[in-house]
Amino acid sequence: MKNIRNFCIIAHIDHGKSTLADRLLERTNTIKVTEGQMLDDMDLERERGITIKSHAIQMEYEMDGELYTLNLIDTPGHVDFSYEVSRSIAACEGALLVVDATQGVQAQTISNLYMAIDNDLEIIPVINKCDMPNAMPEEVTDEIVDLLGCDPSEIILASGKTGQGVDDILRAVVERIPHPVGDEQAPLQALIFDSVFNSYRGIIAYFKIVNGVMRPGEKVRFINTKKEYLAEEIGVLKMDMIPRKELRTGDVGYIVSGIKNAVEVKVGDTITTVQNASETAIEGFEEVKPMVFAGVYPIEAEDYENLRTSLEKLQLNDASLSFQHESSAALGFGFRCGFLGLLHMEIVQERLDREFNMNVITTVPNVSYMIYDKHGVAQEVHNPSSMPDPTLIEHVEEPYIHATVITTATYIGPIMTLCLSKRGELVKQEFIAGNRVEIQFLMPLGEIVIDFYDKLKSISRGYASFDYHSAGFRPSKLVKLDILLNGESVDALSTLTHVDNAVTLGRRMCERLKDLLPRQQFDIAIQAAIGGKIIARETVKQVRKDVLAKCYGGDVSRKRKLLEKQKAGKKRMKQIGNVQVPQKAFLAVLKLDE
């Protein structure tokens, strides 16, 4: 145990975590690095150049004649995957805090750092990309010293590209990060921090042993689910899974026990042995709170069960995804899914398509609201269609967030304008170092869900970084905006919006739908309504056959008769005809500003 070190790499997005991890794996001869970001093994990660999943890997490092086992977890940097980071932190005793020498401390750097400090991790600050011509190591050192209160000599200068400073990092990991503490004689307690689905071997759980020893062939029990299994194979995680005869306290490894049902493995659960069972579970991680909700429906109704199975398997690998059954008049049976943000939602949709071959329709994303009725009873609503009648509502509360934006002084004006236009309230503004500013806002979550991050990046030319955490619910004037097609409400297009934005949003949605809906043999009236009041209308004109083409000359009553006959036919068609809404219309609301 004295020679084990468990640590993770935390940083803001694009600060070079995965490249630095490659150099550490190369230096410890764990693998031969053939291409960049070896740990990012998902196609999506390679295409987008971002880390989506945490990746655990074991390295062997010799220092001063002693061999050390280093368990490294590479974590994502995007705010939408912060739950992955929190789980990785729970399985470690130390963290490398990587900061880009060309960009300095960013919002997500601070957020991840506080998470690590809350878990009493030993922090090793590393300034990466020191070989870049526009690197500013002195300024970034000052920022880190201000942030951590550490000595400048503790900060390691490194480069994931050239390999500079890699030996210093490995030495610092061994010298500064404490070894795991636990009792090998105590009953087994192992914390599950991740799991994956393998179609041949069932569900494979990744864990860290806090107390005791685990051996293959033992009967194990998952404390929270109270299920018992046989540990068919245990081992450590390198690029592949390497079986071992035993795993001791402090080890990070995997267990194969032939579990077929995804519901039986919960991240944060504790594994113990049946023979010498531990009564207490380890303090797991707090339950994740989804920020954004959207309906996910199969395009073919008979794929409903396949979609459920696919979501359960995906949830194993992505514990921050939550879902429950839902039905819609327009789309049939599906699921209401909770995501941590829009990127998370996009990635889940993409993974369903690639990994499970599921073609799905996703409805307009929204957040959850608290509805209080006249009797003071509160009800949490995730879906506009489940809103009670407006006459029964006393008031509505919407979720707010504490948003932190870090940028250079040049862009303060446009960013302030953007945040205030999204109903934000300025909490504080302070200069960190040089001309870099930290601005904190209190904002409604519903306003940032759709396009806030994209706009922030474009007005600051990529120089602003953004992070947020929940700040509870506050009363707000919200109304339900319905979209009617020929007088019938389409529940999948309903949204909850602030009363000030309702008319503008209604108009824009009607205009966009007018462009997207295919023309029919009859007029389609597109209306936006709040309650019984119509606030906007557009009409998709009917496709008409020229019935007068065969009349030339002759009495006008002949022409009138043909037109009246056509009119009656159109009227009858309108009564029985229904309007099919294409998938792009559901996403139209997201792209209203284009």
Side-chain angles (χ1 to χ4, degrees):
M1 201 166 35
K2 295 212 167 0
N3 286 13
I4 296 176
R5 301 288 184 272
N6 298 321
F7 69 103
C8 58
I9 304 185
I10 54 176
H12 188 79
I13 191 166
D14 273 346
H15 279 205
K17 295 178 296 301
S18 301
T19 312
L20 195 60
D22 281 355
R23 297 291 81 75
L24 295 173
L25 295 174
E26 214 169 40
R27 172 63 187 80
T28 54
N29 298 322
T30 307
I31 52 166
K32 193 168 172 53
V33 176
T34 51
E35 54 188 322
Q37 284 89 38
M38 291 293 286
L39 292 180
D40 292 350
D41 51 6
M42 214 187 291
D43 291 348
L44 267 173
E45 292 179 317
R46 292 186 177 274
E47 280 168 29
R48 290 170 177 251
I50 58 173
T51 304
I52 294 168
K53 283 286 306 159
S54 305
H55 298 276
I57 191 162
Q58 190 178 92
M59 307 182 286
E60 307 282 337
Y61 176 60
E62 193 174 327
M63 188 179 108
D64 303 334
E66 272 200 72
L67 194 64
Y68 292 89
T69 300
L70 311 181
N71 290 309
L72 155 71
I73 303 180
D74 179 26
T75 64
H78 197 284
V79 64
D80 278 17
F81 306 113
S82 55
Y83 189 59
E84 288 283 326
V85 183
S86 75
R87 289 174 15 221
S88 306
I89 284 173
C92 294
E93 283 80 36
L96 295 182
L97 179 75
V98 177
V99 181
D100 189 328
T102 63
Q103 294 181 1
V105 171
Q106 305 267 289
Q108 197 61 33
T109 315
I110 297 174
S111 170
N112 288 341
L113 171 68
Y114 287 155
M115 220 187 292
I117 290 172
D118 287 346
N119 280 273
D120 297 330
L121 263 62
E122 179 64 38
I123 310 290
I124 300 176
V126 176
I127 298 179
N128 194 20
K129 305 191 186 178
C130 287
D131 59 317
M132 299 282 276
N134 56 340
M136 321 169 287
E138 290 84 8
E139 288 93 322
V140 179
T141 300
D142 293 343
E143 286 180 24
I144 294 175
V145 170
D146 282 350
L147 188 63
L148 276 176
C150 63
D151 194 86
S153 61
E154 292 175 22
I155 300 170
I156 300 169
L157 299 182
S159 163
K161 200 170 172 187
T162 63
Q164 172 195 340
V166 168
D167 278 317
D168 298 338
I169 292 172
L170 289 166
R171 185 167 279 277
V173 165
V174 173
E175 288 172 355
R176 294 195 222 165
I177 293 176
H179 60 75
V181 181
D183 181 1
E184 290 195 352
Q185 263 51 57
L188 174 70
Q189 283 182 312
L191 176 74
I192 300 177
F193 65 88
D194 205 353
S195 53
V196 291
F197 180 79
N198 183 306
S199 44
Y200 300 107
R201 313 186 73 183
I203 291 152
I204 301 170
Y206 297 166
F207 59 81
K208 175 197 173 188
I209 299 182
V210 177
N211 289 312
V213 178
M214 187 188 284
R215 297 182 179 88
E218 289 182 320
K219 285 272 304 244
V220 293
R221 178 185 297 143
F222 287 33
I223 291 182
N224 284 344
T225 57
K226 299 188 172 51
K227 300 275 186 189
E228 295 181 5
Y229 310 98
L230 183 72
E232 292 169 15
E233 180 183 307
I234 61 169
V236 295
L237 297 155
K238 296 215 170 176
M239 267 328 253
D240 298 314
M241 294 186 264
I242 314 288
R244 289 278 189 268
K245 286 280 176 274
E246 69 171 15
L247 292 176
R248 310 184 78 82
T249 302
D251 279 331
V252 171
Y254 70 90
I255 177 169
V256 179
S257 48
I259 307 169
K260 292 285 183 281
N261 192 349
V263 188
E264 292 174 22
V265 178
K266 290 217 171 356
V267 166
D269 200 350
T270 304
I271 307 175
T272 187
T273 48
V274 172
Q275 209 144 20
N276 182 14
S278 166
E279 295 305 313
T280 53
I282 305 163
E283 288 288 312
F285 332 103
E286 76 280 1
E287 277 292 306
V288 63
K289 284 283 285 182
M291 291 288 196
V292 176
F293 295 89
V296 174
Y297 294 86
I299 286 181
E300 302 296 332
E302 60 265 25
D303 284 343
Y304 171 75
E305 277 305 324
N306 293 348
L307 179 59
R308 179 203 293 280
T309 316
S310 304
L311 282 168
E312 281 175 358
K313 287 177 184 171
L314 194 56
Q315 196 178 31
L316 276 174
N317 199 235
D318 181 357
S320 51
L321 170 68
S322 59
F323 63 92
Q324 61 194 58
H325 168 76
E326 176 184 70
S327 62
S328 146
L331 300 168
F333 291 116
F335 296 93
R336 191 92 195 143
C337 296
F339 308 97
L340 293 184
L342 272 196
L343 176 67
H344 185 211
M345 176 178 134
E346 204 180 309
I347 295 292
V348 166
Q349 203 176 342
E350 190 83 14
R351 286 184 71 182
L352 279 171
D353 182 26
R354 290 190 188 197
E355 294 173 28
F356 304 101
N357 233 356
M358 289 304 308
N359 212 348
V360 294
I361 290 178
T362 311
T363 63
V364 178
N366 62 291
V367 298
S368 57
Y369 298 92
M370 295 300 283
I371 314 284
Y372 289 83
D373 64 15
K374 295 280 169 54
H375 306 293
V377 178
Q379 175 193 353
E380 192 169 348
V381 171
H382 303 310
N383 188 348
S385 59
S386 53
M387 277 270 285
D389 191 281
T391 54
L392 305 173
I393 297 173
E394 177 64 37
H395 72 281
V396 181
E397 291 188 357
E398 66 176 328
Y400 268 69
I401 53 160
H402 272 298
T404 306
V405 178
I406 294 181
T407 181
T408 52
T410 325
Y411 304 107
I412 294 178
I415 288 172
M416 288 273 200
T417 311
L418 172 67
C419 293
L420 294 171
S421 71
K422 299 282 186 186
R423 296 191 285 132
E425 298 168 24
L426 182 63
V427 177
K428 72 168 187 179
Q429 171 188 342
E430 61 180 349
F431 280 82
I432 310 173
N435 71 338
R436 286 161 60 74
V437 189
E438 180 183 323
I439 313 169
Q440 289 188 8
F441 275 92
L442 198 61
M443 297 173 77
L445 178 62
E447 292 283 347
I448 70 147
V449 160
I450 290 172
D451 55 0
F452 177 80
Y453 194 62
D454 296 343
K455 282 186 173 173
L456 179 72
K457 281 291 181 201
S458 60
I459 61 174
S460 67
R461 301 188 187 168
Y463 279 106
S465 62
F466 171 68
D467 182 48
Y468 62 86
H469 56 90
S470 178
F473 286 80
R474 296 177 67 177
S476 185
K477 288 183 179 172
L478 294 166
V479 289
K480 180 185 173 193
L481 180 69
D482 284 314
I483 299 294
L484 312 175
L485 295 180
N486 282 345
E488 285 196 20
S489 171
V490 181
D491 57 354
L493 289 175
S494 303
T495 53
L496 284 171
T497 180
H498 193 265
V499 75
D500 297 346
N501 305 340
V503 176
T504 333
L505 181 65
R507 279 203 193 117
R508 280 156 63 201
M509 282 175 78
C510 288
E511 285 163 10
R512 181 44 80 91
L513 282 169
K514 184 185 177 186
D515 299 337
L516 289 169
L517 290 181
R519 288 173 71 188
Q520 307 279 352
Q521 298 276 357
F522 49 88
D523 278 356
I524 304 172
I526 305 166
Q527 295 165 309
I530 297 171
K533 184 183 174 191
I534 305 294
I535 55 167
R537 169 171 174 144
E538 292 288 340
T539 308
V540 179
K541 297 308 284 180
Q542 60 198 10
V543 182
R544 295 185 62 160
K545 182 181 171 188
D546 186 1
V547 289
L548 302 182
K550 59 185 176 187
C551 298
Y552 45 93
D555 188 16
V556 72
S557 60
R558 173 92 182 110
K559 294 181 182 174
R560 193 170 298 128
K561 183 182 169 189
L562 285 168
L563 287 171
E564 288 298 326
K565 191 177 171 188
Q566 185 188 37
K567 192 173 169 185
K570 295 280 181 201
K571 192 175 177 184
R572 196 166 57 250
M573 211 180 281
K574 186 170 182 175
Q575 283 165 358
I576 59 163
N578 62 350
V579 184
Q580 288 295 324
V581 184
Q583 158 72 355
K584 37 184 193 189
F586 292 114
L587 301 174
V589 184
L590 293 179
K591 310 283 188 281
L592 279 174
D593 287 345
E594 287 181 4

